[in-house]
Amino acid sequence: MRSNTEAPGTPRDWLQFGLGAVVVAGMCFPALWMIYSSFKTNREIFRTPYALPGTWHWENLTKAWNEGGLGVLYVNSILVTAASVILCAGFATLAAYAFARLEFPGRRVLYRIFLIGLLLPPPAVAIALFTQLRDMGLLNTLWALIFANAAWSLSITLYLMSGYFRTLKREMEEAARLEGADTFRVFWYVILPMVKPAIITTAILNTINIWNELMFALLFISDDASRTLPAGIVRFSGFHSTNYALVFAALTITTVPIMILYFVSQRHVIRGLTAARAD
Amino acid sequence: MAEIVFDKVAKDFGGGPVVRDVSLTIPEGEFCVFVGPSGCGKSTLLRMVAGLESITAGEIRIGGKRANDIPPAKRGAALVFQTYALFPHMTIAENLGFGLKIRGAAKAERDAKVLGVAKDLELDGLLERRPRELSGGQRQRVAIGRAMLRDPQVFLFDEPLSNLDAALRVHTRLRIAKLHQDTGRSMIYVTHDQVEAMTLADRIVLLNTGERTAREGSLAQIGTPLELYHHPRSLFVAGFIGAPRMNFIAARVVEAFFDRMVAETASGLRIAAAVCADGIKIGDPVTLGIRPEHVTFGDTLAARVLNVERFGDSSLVYADCAEAKEPIVARAEGGTRLKRGDAVSFAFPAEHVHAFDAQERAVPRSVDPLAQ
Amino acid sequence: MAIAAQNNGLGGGRPGEGAGIANLLFVIPALTLYALFVLWPLASSLYYSLTDWDGIGAPRWVGLANFTRAFADDIHLASYVHVTLYILGTLVFEVSFGLVMAVMLNSDRPGFALLRGLFFSPVVLSMSAAGVLWNFVFDYRTGLVNAMLKGIGLGDWAQPWLSQPATALICVMLVSGWKFAGLYMILFFAALRRIPRSLYEAATLEGAGPIRRFFSITLPLLKQNVLICGLLAVTGGFAGFDLFFTMTNGQPYNSTEVPVTWIVKMAFDSDQLGYGIALTVILTVVVSLISLLYLRFAERSHAVEY
Amino acid sequence: MASWTRMRNLAAGVIAAAVLASTFGQRAGAEPVEIRITHSITGGTQKEALDGIIADFEKANPDIKVKQVVFDDDQYSDTGLITQLKSATPPDIYFQWAGFPMQRDAKEGFAKDISAEMDADGWKDSFLPSVWSPSMGMLYEGHPYLVPMTLDVTNVIWFNKKIFAEDGVKAPATWDEFMAAVKTLAEKGETPIVIGNQELWPLGNWASHIASRVVEPAHYDAAFKLQEPFSQPGFEKALTLIDDLRKAGAFNKDIAGLGADPAMSTFFQEAAAMHPIGSWLVPSANEMAEKDFDYGAFNTPLIDPANPTKDSVIGTATGFAVHAKSAHPKEAIAFLKFFTRLDSQVKWAEAGSFSPVKGAMEQAKLDDKTKQMADMLSHAGSLVPPPDTTYPVAVAESYYQAAAYVAGGEKSPHDALVWLDEHVKAMK
C-alpha cells in the first residue's frame, strides 16, 4: 500500500491528482452532457448544445418512459441478467470444482473443450444458434437469451473459478474428507463458502457483460414484450433519432440507475475485480 | 487393536518411485516418527495411511484390515496438518464440531464434546472466533483438538510444528507427548527435524531419498532414537542423525584385527576404530566418522581454528585440517579460550570411531554404548 | 494453457471411489448447457456453411461455394483489415491508456478512489447506450465536437467524423477506449497493488526516478497482466459488434465494416444465412488460430502461468 | 430488405383504391375462432386505423377473434417474420412486401394461392387494375398471393418551399433545371440535398430510380439479374448524373455516415433545401416539423425523353398473405375482405395510407401533401419497383454501395461500376 506514511500534498501528488482529474472529467463530460440535455427542448440542444437547460423539462423523462416502454425493457433485462448469472455461476462452480479437484473420465479433454469457448467470439455461432433456437421454439422468449448468455459465460467463469480453486489449499478438503464428508458435502460445507469471493467476482463480470449484451438480444428477440434494454435503446433511438431530447431522456433513464447502483456498490465491484487472483 | 502394517508399500506419481519397498509394523500405542530429508516421501507415506493418497503397490493394514480401499473417513485416522487446515469461514466451535456434524451427532452432544476438548486445550475462550483471529499456536491447538474429537485409532501428524516459533515448538511438542501418554493411541509423526524425531519417538523410521530409494528401497533404518544415534546402518543415517553432523575422514585400511581396525589417511595419519574387522581387508577404502561430542583434544590431528561458536554450556570448534575436506567440528567446554587462527590438535578415541565401507555401509561396532 | 495438471492428492484416484464416474455429475449441468448452446451450433455451422440457404426454404448443398465466394468478397476481406486496425487501436486506447491511468491513479490519498470509480464507470454502461450517445457527440451538424470547435473559433476544423473513411474507424476506436480503458485500468491497478513496495524503495535508493521505476519495475512485473489484457483485447476485438452496429454500421464506404457486421448483414439483411454462416466459420478459425498462436507465444515467454 | 426496414413504423405510402364489401355468414353457437395476423405497424395513425377496423370486424363477426402479433420493422424483415413462418403454429395472415419476398414465400409454400377467393364475388375487381400488373409483384406464376394493402412511393424529392422562394428556385421539371437549382442553392450557401446514407438505401433507391430512367429496361433487368455486367454506358451515365450532383456540391458533407432519420430531421429543421425520400415523410412531418414549415414534392425530373420509363415513379406495393398452413383460412379471408371494404379503406386512407382499393382515396378526406402524392402517382407513366424488393437483396445492396461511392467522391462512376461487377461476380 502506498503513501499513508508520506507527507500529504507534495507538488508531485497535486500534479498527479490534477492530471488524473482532467482526464477523468473529460471522460465524464459526454455522459453529463447527455444527462442535462435530456431536460432541454430539442431546439435548445441544437441552438446551444452545451449550455444548461433554460427550464428543466422533467416531462421529457416521463414521455420517454412511456413511449419507449422502458418499464418492460427494465424488467426483461433484470430477469435475463439475474437468471443467466445465477445459472452460470452455479453450473460453473460445480464444474470448476470437479476439474480442479476430482478425477473422472475425460477430465482433461472436457476441460480443453470448455476452454475453446474462451477464445470463440459469440458471433461465431450467432446465426446457427438463431436457427437452433427457432427449432426449439425458444425465439422471442427470455429463455433464448438466458440460455445463450449463460452458456456463453460458462467458459470464462469456469476458467477463472478453476484457477481460483487451484490457489486454495487442499488441506481443507482433505481435513473435511477425513472427518467423513463425502464429495458433495466437501463441496457444500467447505468449498462453497471458501470460493464465495470468486463467485461474486465472476458474477459481477458476467452481470456487466450480460446486462449490456446486444447481438443475441437483437437477433433472438423481435417481440416488444421480451426485448431487453440494449436492444430497446437502439430501437428507440432509431425511432426518435430526430428528437435528441427524448433519446437523451431515455438514455438517462436507462443508464443513471445502473450508474447509481454501480457507485453504491463500487467498492464491492472493484474489490471483486481486483480480488480475481489472490485471497 | 490398531497395529499398522506396511507391506511392500510403494508409490509412484509417474516420475519414478517416490516410496519403494516399505515393510514395517507399527504396534498399537507406539509413537513412530518418519524422518528424512525433503522429498523422501515421508508425507506421502503418512497420507497413504490417511487415505489421501492411493497406494501404487503393496498394502497397508490397519488393525489387521487391508486399508487400501477403505475411504479416508473410515480408517479411524486423524490427521493434523502442517498448515492446520482450519476452515476459514467457520468459528472455532464449528471447526471443532464439523466432523461430529458430518457424522450426524446431535447438537447438544456436539456442543458438550467440543467444550470438553476446548477446555483441555485452553481454547474455551476462543470458540466464537474465526481461525484468522487466532495465533499460530492457538490454531495448532484447534487442529489437534479436532483430531482428538475424532477419537481416532491412530493420530497422524504432518510436520505439525514447522510453522511455529521455537518456544511454541517446545511447548506443543510436550503437549503432543502428553496426548500420546493420555490416549495411548498409535501415532505417526512426520518431520524433517531430527530434534523432534529424537525427542518424541518410540521408534524412528528414517527414509531414503532420490537415487538411494531406487537402490535400497525407502527405508534407511528403523530403530529407537539411540539405536540410530549409536548404530547408524549407513553413512547416510550417520550423517543425518546428530547435530552438528558427524565428522567424516576418508582413509585406507592398514590393519584389521578381531575388534579393531586402523586406517591411514592420504597424508599418512593413522586412526583406530573399535569395529568388528571380520570382512575387512587391508587396503580397502573406508570412511571414518566421529561425532563432534566425541572428538577430544589430543595430539593426533593438527588443525587451525576457523571459528568458535559459544553456547555457554559448551562451544563448537570448527577447524581446518589437511585430512578432511570439511572442517572438523569438535565440542569443547563452554569456557574454552580457543579463538580463530589458533593451532589445535584433536584426538579420536577408537571406541567412538565409526567406519563405513566403499558401499557406504557401516562396519559393525565392537562396542555397544547401549549395553551399559 | 495447462490443465489441472497435478493430480496428486484428491485427484489422484482416491481409494474406495472407483473410476470417479460419479464425479461427472458435477460437470454434467455445465456440459449440457455448453453443448446445447455453444458446441452444437458450432458443429451445425459446419453443415450450414456448405449450403445455400435463405433461412426460409430448405438448405441446398453447394459444397465449398460459400467459401470460394468469401475469399473473393472484397468487403469481407477488407473487414479483416479493419478489425486488425481496430484491435491495434484498442491496444493503444484501451490497454495502454488503462495502464497509464492505473499508474497515475495508484494512490491512497483521498480523491483518487473517486477518480478511479469515475474512470471505471463507462464500463458499466451498455455499449448500445454508449454508441447512441457518441453518435450525438460526433454528429457533423449538431454534434458536440463540432460545436466545441466552432465555440473556440476553429469552425473550419469541423469534420463529418463518422462519414469519412479517414476518421470513422478512429472515432469508433476512441469510443471503445472511452468505454473500456477503465476495465484495464482496474485490472492493472489490482496487479500494481501486488508489487511489493520494497522493490520501489530499493529502486529509489538506487536513484531511479519515476519513469525509470515504471520501465524497470512496473512494466516487467506486469508483463503477465499485459499479455492477458492483450489477449482480452484481441478476442474482444474480433467479437466487436455493438459499437460498430450502433455508430457506423460498416459505413462510410464499408470502411468500418468488421467481420461481425458483415456477417449479420449477409445473413439477415440479405437473407443469405448459408453464406453468413460460412463467414462465421471463417471467423471462428481465424480467431482460434490467432488465440492459439498468442498463447503459445505467451507460454514460451513464460509470462502466462496457469 | 434494408430499405424497407424503417419506413413501416413511420407510416404509409401512396396510391388509390376501391372496395368490396363482403358479407359472411355467422356460425351461431360456435366457440370464437382466433386468427392471428402479424405485421410491423407498431404505432401511429395507421395502427389506430387498423385497430379500429379490427374492432369493427370483431363486432360484425362475434365468432372470430383477431390477434395481432406486432414487430418493429427491422426485426420483422430480418428475423421476426422468418421465425413465424417456419413455426409449428404459423400466423394465419402476415404482412409482406410484393415482389421478390412474396414470390419467395409463394415458391417455398408459405403463402396461399388466393386465386379462387379473388375471383369469387368480384373481389379482385375492387382493386385498382394497375395493382395486378406483373411489375407490381402481387402475382407468382400468374396467380395472386397477396391481398394488396398499401402502395408506397419510395422516392420523391421533397423541398423546402421557403428556401426555394428565398433563393429564387422553382421545382424543376428536367434534369438540367434540377442541376441549375442545385447550383443556385449551393452558391447561396445552402445544403441543397440532405441524404442520410448510412444504410445505403436512401440514396440507393433514388440512384436506382435514376438508373431506371437512363438504362434500357431490358438491360436494367438483366444487370440486376447478373446476366449482364453493370459496366455499360447506361449505368455509367446514371452514376455520372450523381457524380455531377456531388461536384455541384449538392450533398451534405456527412452523407456517408448519417442515419436516414437524422437526415429527415435535418430537412425538417430547415438545414437543407431538398430531401429525396419516400412518401412516409408526410405523417412524420406532422409530428416533427415546426408549425410554419412548408414543403412540397416533385418527382425525379425528366432525364432522357427517349426512355420508355421516362416519367416513372419508384414505388412498391405491400399486402397481406394468408399462410398456406393456416388453420382458419376462411376466417382469414373473411377478415381480409372486411379490411379491403371501401369503408374500411377510407379509414385506412385517412390514416395516411395509400389505399389500393378503387374509390377509397377519392372518398377519404386527405391533407394537401397526401393529395399531391396521389396526383403524382396518377400522372405517372409507370411504376418502377426498387431493386431490393425485386432482385436478390445482396445484388441490390451492392449497386447501392456503388452509388454511395460515387456520391461521396470515393470512386469515379466508371471505377464504381468496375468494383460492382467485381464484387457481385462472387455471388453468381
Side-chain angles (χ1 to χ4, degrees):
Chain A
M1 294 283 136
R2 274 181 177 315
S3 85
N4 282 337
T5 55
E6 290 168 17
T10 65
R12 239 201 79 222
D13 293 323
W14 282 111
L15 184 70
Q16 190 183 354
F17 185 81
L19 265 171
V22 167
V23 174
V24 169
M27 302 262 298
C28 289
F29 182 67
L32 284 176
W33 177 67
M34 166 192 92
I35 293 170
Y36 70 70
S37 293
S38 65
F39 296 98
K40 291 160 99 169
T41 63
N42 216 17
R43 288 199 130 187
E44 268 183 296
I45 294 176
F46 294 128
R47 302 239 162 104
T48 51
Y50 41 92
L52 286 174
T55 45
W56 292 72
H57 294 272
W58 288 88
E59 71 276 10
N60 286 352
L61 296 185
T62 49
K63 200 175 166 215
W65 178 269
N66 293 330
E67 291 206 2
L70 299 184
V72 178
L73 299 180
Y74 253 104
V75 170
N76 289 338
S77 266
I78 290 171
L79 287 176
V80 166
T81 307
S84 321
V85 168
I86 291 171
L87 202 62
C88 173
F91 287 9
T93 308
L94 280 169
Y97 170 60
F99 282 121
R101 288 293 203 260
L102 304 178
E103 192 55 59
F104 53 88
R107 193 183 74 156
R108 299 175 66 104
V109 174
L110 286 177
Y111 191 69
R112 276 182 197 275
I113 287 175
F114 270 109
L115 286 194
I116 294 173
L118 210 55
L119 309 175
L120 282 180
V125 302
I127 305 169
L129 191 51
F130 168 81
T131 65
Q132 182 188 327
L133 289 166
R134 180 177 69 191
D135 297 343
M136 296 167 92
L138 291 178
L139 278 189
N140 271 325
T141 67
L142 296 182
W143 290 112
L145 295 181
I146 291 170
F147 288 139
N149 283 323
W152 277 91
S153 309
L154 271 178
S155 291
I156 180 75
T157 314
L158 180 62
Y159 173 66
L160 291 176
M161 290 295 297
S162 45
Y164 187 83
F165 271 115
R166 256 170 256 138
T167 67
L168 293 180
K169 296 213 174 69
R170 283 167 187 273
E171 281 89 343
M172 316 280 179
E173 293 146 76
E174 292 173 344
R177 194 168 281 282
L178 284 172
E179 296 287 358
D182 56 26
T183 308
F184 181 75
R185 282 199 278 191
V186 169
F187 178 76
W188 187 255
Y189 286 118
V190 178
I191 292 293
L192 215 49
M194 288 202 299
V195 297
K196 213 158 62 183
I199 295 178
I200 291 170
T201 302
T202 52
I204 288 170
L205 288 173
N206 287 336
T207 301
I208 294 174
N209 283 339
I210 295 172
W211 181 266
N212 294 335
E213 201 286 324
L214 176 65
M215 194 183 58
F216 286 162
L218 277 178
L219 296 183
F220 301 159
I221 303 295
S222 40
D223 194 343
D224 277 337
S226 4
R227 194 172 278 114
T228 52
L229 268 177
I233 277 297
V234 170
R235 177 170 152 274
F236 184 87
S237 65
F239 286 0
H240 300 279
S241 64
T242 45
N243 193 341
Y244 280 38
L246 203 60
V247 173
F248 284 165
L251 286 177
T252 301
I253 292 173
T254 55
T255 55
V256 165
I258 193 86
M259 293 308 278
I260 290 174
L261 196 71
Y262 157 67
F263 275 107
V264 168
S265 63
Q266 199 216 116
R267 279 168 161 271
H268 201 86
V269 174
I270 290 185
R271 193 191 299 145
L273 276 168
T274 53
R277 274 183 12 171
D279 63 273
Chain B
M1 271 304 290
E3 185 187 64
I4 299 161
V5 179
F6 294 77
D7 189 356
K8 297 200 175 114
V9 169
K11 176 73 185 181
D12 190 335
F13 287 117
V18 174
V19 169
R20 196 171 84 80
D21 198 19
V22 172
S23 291
L24 160 74
T25 300
I26 300 170
E28 182 174 6
E30 183 177 84
F31 199 123
C32 181
V33 174
F34 291 178
V35 68
S38 62
C40 69
K42 54 191 186 293
S43 283
T44 306
L45 213 46
L46 185 80
R47 292 163 58 84
M48 283 155 92
V49 177
L52 297 173
E53 212 74 77
S54 66
I55 297 162
T56 310
E59 70 176 33
I60 291 178
R61 291 187 292 273
I62 301 176
K65 270 189 293 185
R66 178 183 152 91
N68 290 36
D69 300 321
I70 301 176
K74 302 244 163 77
R75 296 190 179 189
L79 175 56
V80 176
F81 293 85
Q82 176 182 1
T83 54
Y84 322 132
L86 302 182
F87 307 122
H89 53 282
M90 298 184 193
T91 63
I92 299 311
E94 285 166 342
N95 263 288
L96 288 170
F98 180 74
L100 292 166
K101 183 173 157 194
I102 290 291
R103 292 191 291 275
K107 189 168 183 337
E109 181 198 346
R110 224 156 67 203
D111 290 350
K113 284 191 172 172
V114 166
L115 195 63
V117 166
K119 278 194 176 134
D120 263 9
L121 294 170
E122 297 149 51
L123 290 168
D124 41 336
L126 308 173
L127 284 176
E128 292 315 308
R129 303 230 186 132
R130 301 207 182 248
R132 65 167 173 278
E133 298 168 290
L134 267 54
S135 71
Q138 288 169 329
R139 286 186 218 181
Q140 187 56 285
R141 294 208 308 268
V142 177
I144 292 171
R146 185 168 63 184
M148 287 163 67
L149 276 161
R150 292 248 2 234
D151 191 19
Q153 303 282 337
V154 51
F155 283 91
L156 308 174
F157 297 90
D158 190 357
E159 309 215 17
L161 307 184
S162 53
N163 285 2
L164 301 178
D165 64 41
L168 263 173
R169 238 180 251 192
V170 174
H171 185 77
T172 312
R173 213 160 70 199
L174 290 173
R175 189 180 289 281
I176 291 172
K178 182 170 179 293
L179 180 69
H180 182 229
Q181 284 156 21
D182 291 352
T183 61
R185 304 286 184 191
S186 308
M187 295 194 171
I188 304 179
Y189 186 106
V190 162
T191 181
H192 63 268
D193 181 312
Q194 55 159 314
V195 176
E196 282 172 32
M198 300 294 282
T199 52
L200 284 168
D202 292 335
R203 257 199 320 163
I204 291 178
V205 175
L206 178 58
L207 296 167
N208 280 327
T209 178
E211 172 267 334
R212 213 176 301 115
T213 305
R215 199 172 62 224
E216 54 192 55
S218 280
L219 297 180
Q221 189 167 353
I222 305 172
T224 65
L226 290 182
E227 276 169 11
L228 266 64
Y229 179 80
H230 290 297
H231 298 289
R233 263 174 45 188
S234 65
L235 194 69
F236 165 68
V237 178
F240 191 86
I241 300 287
R245 219 168 84 108
M246 184 182 276
N247 298 298
F248 293 117
I249 296 170
R252 202 164 282 279
V253 178
V254 290
E255 287 173 35
F257 306 105
F258 295 102
D259 58 353
R260 197 177 138 86
M261 173 198 94
V262 178
E264 190 180 83
T265 67
S267 57
L269 183 71
R270 290 191 167 209
I271 299 169
V275 297
C276 304
D278 287 359
I280 295 183
K281 288 196 282 292
I282 308 294
D284 279 354
V286 288
T287 303
L288 301 175
I290 183 162
R291 297 195 182 276
E293 51 270 39
H294 299 139
V295 175
T296 58
F297 293 90
D299 54 4
T300 312
L301 179 95
R304 190 158 295 275
V305 174
L306 275 178
N307 194 23
V308 180
E309 288 176 355
R310 296 174 194 282
F311 298 96
D313 62 334
S314 66
S315 302
L316 285 175
V317 177
Y318 293 78
D320 239 349
C321 68
E323 279 69 24
K325 276 179 245 157
E326 303 281 311
I328 299 287
V329 187
R331 198 176 284 280
E333 59 188 327
T336 180
R337 288 173 190 274
L338 285 171
K339 62 182 187 301
R340 186 185 163 87
D342 288 353
V344 69
S345 188
F346 295 125
F348 304 133
E351 68 272 25
H352 290 302
V353 177
H354 302 248
F356 305 91
D357 64 16
Q359 280 75 46
E360 302 189 348
R361 284 185 307 247
V363 181
R365 297 178 69 183
S366 55
V367 292
D368 183 4
L370 294 175
Q372 284 141 24
Chain C
M1 206 171 320
I3 314 301
Q6 5 68 302
N7 52 356
N8 51 340
L10 287 177
R14 238 167 343 287
E17 296 236 345
I21 302 249
N23 292 337
L24 257 174
L25 286 177
F26 282 85
V27 182
I28 279 175
L31 191 61
T32 311
L33 191 65
Y34 186 73
L36 269 178
F37 296 97
V38 179
L39 295 179
W40 178 247
L42 204 60
S44 66
S45 292
L46 287 176
Y47 163 68
Y48 285 123
S49 70
L50 301 171
T51 66
D52 179 19
W53 190 37
D54 59 3
I56 297 275
R60 189 169 58 85
W61 184 266
V62 293
L64 293 173
N66 285 325
F67 292 95
T68 327
R69 177 179 165 191
F71 287 104
D73 181 340
D74 55 335
I75 297 178
H76 174 240
L77 297 177
S79 73
Y80 278 91
V81 176
H82 303 146
V83 82
T84 307
L85 292 173
Y86 170 70
I87 288 169
L88 292 176
T90 60
L91 289 178
V92 175
F93 295 124
E94 296 177 12
V95 182
S96 308
F97 183 41
L99 176 57
V100 169
M101 289 306 286
V103 173
M104 191 184 283
L105 299 182
N106 182 13
S107 168
D108 282 338
R109 287 182 200 295
F112 278 93
L114 178 69
L115 289 188
R116 285 194 297 269
L118 286 170
F119 190 80
F120 181 79
S121 59
V123 178
V124 205
L125 275 181
S126 79
M127 284 285 243
S128 41
V132 169
L133 170 61
W134 281 89
N135 273 349
F136 289 115
V137 174
F138 285 126
D139 188 83
Y140 173 61
R141 201 166 57 84
T142 54
L144 199 58
V145 173
N146 286 346
M148 278 181 164
L149 286 173
K150 270 169 212 152
I152 55 172
L154 293 172
D156 292 348
W157 290 17
Q159 300 287 327
W161 302 103
L162 295 175
S163 295
Q164 48 193 17
T167 50
L169 190 59
I170 294 174
C171 288
V172 179
M173 291 177 193
L174 279 173
V175 177
S176 201
W178 175 80
K179 178 81 174 60
F180 285 116
L183 178 65
Y184 293 104
M185 184 272 289
I186 285 296
L187 294 177
F188 284 126
F189 174 72
L192 282 178
R193 289 282 156 140
R194 294 193 196 103
I195 298 179
R197 184 140 182 251
S198 54
L199 290 184
Y200 289 100
E201 290 166 344
T204 311
L205 288 176
E206 298 286 335
I211 291 172
R212 158 133 310 195
R213 288 202 298 266
F214 176 78
F215 282 104
S216 49
I217 300 178
T218 310
L219 213 50
L221 288 175
L222 290 187
K223 192 173 166 198
Q224 175 175 347
N225 304 81
V226 171
L227 282 169
I228 287 173
C229 288
L231 183 63
L232 274 180
V234 171
T235 53
F238 275 108
F241 167 75
D242 304 12
L243 269 191
F244 289 94
F245 179 77
T246 49
M247 286 183 71
T248 61
N249 201 24
Q251 295 305 317
Y253 320 121
N254 300 114
S255 64
T256 61
E257 204 77 74
V258 290
V260 183
T261 57
W262 189 239
I263 285 167
V264 169
K265 272 183 198 170
M266 287 297 100
F268 293 110
D269 289 0
S270 301
D271 297 334
Q272 304 174 104
L273 269 70
Y275 183 52
I277 288 177
L279 297 184
T280 66
V281 170
I282 294 172
L283 178 67
T284 308
V285 171
V286 169
V287 175
S288 310
L289 278 181
I290 289 178
S291 305
L292 291 175
L293 283 175
Y294 191 100
L295 288 172
R296 171 103 352 140
F297 162 75
E299 253 175 16
R300 185 170 307 159
S301 71
H302 298 294
V304 185
E305 296 147 8
Y306 296 116
Chain D
M1 261 151 294
S3 63
W4 303 107
T5 49
R6 254 141 219 269
M7 58 184 74
R8 277 290 110 213
N9 48 59
L10 283 171
V14 174
I15 260 258
V19 149
L20 182 125
S22 84
T23 49
F24 206 77
Q26 293 185 6
R27 289 167 301 175
E31 274 289 293
V33 169
E34 185 186 83
I35 57 171
R36 285 183 302 132
I37 174 167
T38 186
H39 58 77
S40 59
I41 305 162
T42 52
T45 50
Q46 269 193 319
K47 180 71 165 39
E48 285 165 27
L50 184 60
D51 289 345
I53 293 170
I54 288 174
D56 292 347
F57 174 75
E58 286 179 336
K59 206 180 285 173
N61 301 275
D63 55 343
I64 307 178
K65 286 257 167 283
V66 179
K67 188 187 173 208
Q68 300 183 68
V69 182
V70 187
F71 295 90
D72 86 69
D73 208 62
D74 278 314
Q75 298 293 334
Y76 190 82
S77 61
D78 282 356
T79 58
L81 182 60
I82 296 180
T83 308
Q84 296 186 79
L85 290 184
K86 295 197 84 170
S87 83
T89 52
D92 300 283
I93 302 172
Y94 66 94
F95 166 84
Q96 187 56 289
W97 287 272
F100 188 75
M102 186 284 292
Q103 285 156 357
R104 179 195 62 195
D105 292 355
K107 190 170 127 205
E108 297 293 345
F110 293 119
K112 179 177 152 65
D113 179 351
I114 49 171
S115 307
E117 290 81 355
M118 276 290 166
D119 291 341
D121 307 326
W123 191 18
K124 194 173 189 176
D125 300 329
S126 68
F127 295 95
L128 294 172
S130 61
V131 164
W132 303 114
S133 77
S135 70
M136 289 298 295
M138 292 284 173
L139 309 177
Y140 176 68
E141 295 178 342
H143 297 282
Y145 282 82
L146 270 188
V147 176
M149 171 187 150
T150 298
L151 218 132
D152 292 329
V153 165
T154 53
N155 215 288
V156 293
I157 297 160
W158 300 94
F159 66 95
N160 183 318
K161 282 188 175 170
K162 197 166 75 192
I163 297 178
F164 266 41
E166 277 171 8
D167 293 349
V169 177
K170 286 204 182 88
T174 68
W175 190 265
D176 292 338
E177 288 174 31
F178 181 55
M179 284 301 296
V182 164
K183 280 177 185 152
T184 310
L185 289 164
E187 277 161 20
K188 302 252 177 184
E190 308 283 352
T191 299
I193 301 173
V194 63
I195 299 180
N197 204 33
Q198 193 196 76
E199 288 165 83
L200 299 179
W201 59 264
L203 174 70
N205 280 340
W206 190 34
S208 29
H209 192 204
I210 293 172
S212 74
R213 294 273 198 85
V214 179
V215 186
E216 280 290 312
H219 290 304
Y220 179 89
D221 190 58
F224 275 103
K225 285 179 175 163
L226 301 184
Q227 292 156 354
E228 280 182 16
F230 281 95
S231 297
Q232 49 177 291
F235 279 104
E236 187 157 342
K237 188 184 173 202
L239 291 186
T240 304
L241 293 176
I242 292 169
D243 200 33
D244 292 343
L245 283 172
R246 176 187 66 83
K247 286 180 188 150
F251 301 122
N252 50 309
K253 264 184 137 177
D254 53 350
I255 177 170
L258 194 65
D261 297 329
M264 193 192 289
S265 110
T266 304
F267 178 65
F268 288 138
Q269 285 157 9
E270 314 206 25
M274 290 181 270
H275 183 46
I277 204 82
S279 50
W280 58 89
L281 182 106
V282 180
S284 311
N286 298 334
E287 283 180 34
M288 292 185 232
E290 301 282 336
K291 291 255 169 357
D292 57 347
F293 182 74
D294 195 15
Y295 63 106
F298 57 88
N299 194 1
T300 300
L302 178 73
I303 302 171
D304 177 3
N307 191 286
T309 60
K310 62 184 191 308
D311 51 359
S312 66
V313 166
I314 187 165
T316 190
T318 58
F320 283 120
V322 176
H323 197 285
K325 293 197 183 115
S326 165
H328 308 291
K330 272 196 189 126
E331 288 79 0
I333 292 292
F335 171 73
L336 291 174
K337 282 194 171 175
F338 188 91
F339 177 74
T340 51
R341 265 163 44 162
L342 186 57
D343 56 346
S344 304
Q345 285 295 303
V346 168
K347 286 180 195 153
W348 186 237
E350 285 172 355
S353 314
F354 287 82
S355 169
V357 170
K358 282 178 189 163
M361 294 305 279
E362 287 78 357
Q363 287 192 23
K365 292 188 205 77
L366 301 176
D367 62 54
D368 292 348
K369 309 294 181 228
T370 314
K371 272 218 170 69
Q372 196 188 349
M373 271 302 102
D375 284 351
M376 192 185 292
L377 270 159
S378 57
H379 290 114
S382 57
L383 194 76
V384 179
D388 59 1
T389 63
T390 319
Y391 303 103
V393 188
V395 177
E397 292 266 337
S398 304
Y399 175 72
Y400 294 175
Q401 180 65 63
Y405 280 137
V406 173
E410 280 290 300
K411 288 189 198 299
S412 72
H414 179 76
D415 291 348
L417 290 172
V418 170
W419 172 85
L420 175 57
D421 281 327
E422 194 62 30
H423 184 67
V424 297
K425 201 167 69 184
M427 297 177 196
K428 282 178 190 169

